[in-house]
Amino acid sequence: EAGVTQFPSHSVIEKGQTVTLRCDPISGHDNLYWYRRVMGKEIKFLLHFVKESKQDESGMPNNRFLAERTGGTYSTLKVQPAELEDSGVYFCASSQDFGTMNTEAFFGQGTRLTVV
Amino acid sequence: DAKTTQPPSMDCAEGRAANLPCNHSTISGNEYVYWYRQIHSQGPQYIIHGLKNNETNEMASLIITEDRKSSTLILPHATLRDTAVYYCIVRVGGGYSTLTFGKGTMLLVSP
């Protein structure tokens, strides 16, 4: 079974440009999460999808970030326009929660974004 | 915002048990204790979780004190590949709660 896959693994863009990150969750996982780690900081939650709906987007830093999950399958995270402080590693995770049961979240390898 | 306290770093000799402590004195009755680790340049990896009872799986054991204010992750026979940052996270049970990562413990396993 394929794990969570993220594309690209690395991206270097200039300030002001647009970048789109993609995440393919594990098949059948309704929950999809975006996290990021900026240099020297802790891993921070950005956003949570349940199928195609945004369950919690309290961690999104500002309106330059747009996340979508059309059809409840893969998700994209677009940064437009990118700023220097957006540099970091963006992680995607997916999980399959069954009511009150706890199941673990599986993380992808991350996309390392560098804005120059 | 993390509700856990962990030592910043620990050392362990290869083949020995690694015991990683975590304090979560403000844990609520419906919060689970989760452990994840992040090996360099990889995404976080789930290890184990528990509510009250001690838990064991193929990777590790989790010992939770009776008052649930602290726990210990045990890697019974640490290998070099266990060198990673280990995160202890408390998370509300069920549904849609997310993970709040703190600074974690950097475990260095040496030959």
Side-chain angles (χ1 to χ4, degrees):
Chain A
E1 179 180 326
V4 177
T5 56
Q6 294 187 244
F7 181 84
S9 57
H10 294 82
S11 180
V12 181
I13 62 171
E14 293 184 351
K15 176 182 174 182
Q17 289 186 323
T18 297
V19 62
T20 300
L21 314 180
R22 172 170 171 147
C23 169
D24 286 76
I26 293 172
S27 178
H29 281 192
D30 290 339
N31 295 282
L32 188 148
Y33 310 84
W34 284 98
Y35 290 80
R36 77 170 179 178
R37 164 180 265 157
V38 296
M39 182 72 74
K41 301 290 187 180
E42 299 156 16
I43 299 172
K44 293 292 188 183
F45 164 78
L46 295 178
L47 177 100
H48 171 205
F49 282 100
V50 178
K51 297 184 180 179
E52 67 276 7
S53 299
K54 293 177 183 176
Q55 177 69 26
D56 181 356
E57 52 184 328
S58 61
M60 295 288 266
N62 51 61
N63 59 10
R64 295 186 294 103
F65 289 75
L66 176 63
E68 295 180 323
R69 192 183 182 194
T70 305
T73 55
Y74 71 91
S75 175
T76 57
L77 179 64
K78 180 190 290 187
V79 184
Q80 179 182 29
E83 298 290 345
L84 299 178
E85 64 263 26
D86 301 332
S87 296
V89 183
Y90 289 75
F91 294 105
C92 175
S94 71
S95 72
Q96 189 174 33
D97 287 339
F98 300 97
T100 58
M101 288 179 59
N102 277 274
T103 60
E104 63 267 30
F106 295 87
F107 282 78
Q109 295 299 297
T111 293
R112 181 173 296 278
L113 175 65
T114 303
V115 182
V116 298
Chain B
D1 294 338
K3 296 188 287 186
T4 63
T5 303
Q6 300 177 251
S9 64
M10 294 185 64
D11 295 325
C12 180
E14 187 178 22
R16 303 296 294 269
N19 297 278
L20 291 89
C22 179
N23 286 322
H24 31 80
S25 59
T26 60
I27 192 170
S28 302
N30 64 344
E31 288 182 317
Y32 287 70
V33 179
Y34 277 74
W35 284 84
Y36 279 77
R37 72 180 182 183
Q38 186 178 20
I39 297 171
H40 182 62
S41 297
Q42 297 182 21
Q45 177 189 24
Y46 167 82
I47 302 173
I48 198 168
H49 75 279
L51 181 63
K52 296 180 181 178
N53 301 320
N54 298 335
E55 303 287 344
T56 295
N57 63 22
E58 65 278 5
M59 290 183 67
S61 294
L62 174 60
I63 308 297
I64 302 174
T65 58
E66 191 169 346
D67 63 8
R68 303 211 320 125
K69 292 185 177 182
S70 65
S71 60
T72 301
L73 178 74
I74 301 172
L75 307 178
H77 306 286
T79 70
L80 300 180
R81 288 180 295 182
D82 291 323
T83 292
V85 179
Y86 287 77
Y87 297 97
C88 170
I89 300 169
V90 294
R91 175 182 180 242
V92 174
Y96 306 133
S97 61
T98 59
L99 299 169
T100 300
F101 289 86
K103 293 181 170 56
T105 295
M106 174 65 215
L107 175 68
L108 176 62
V109 181
S110 303

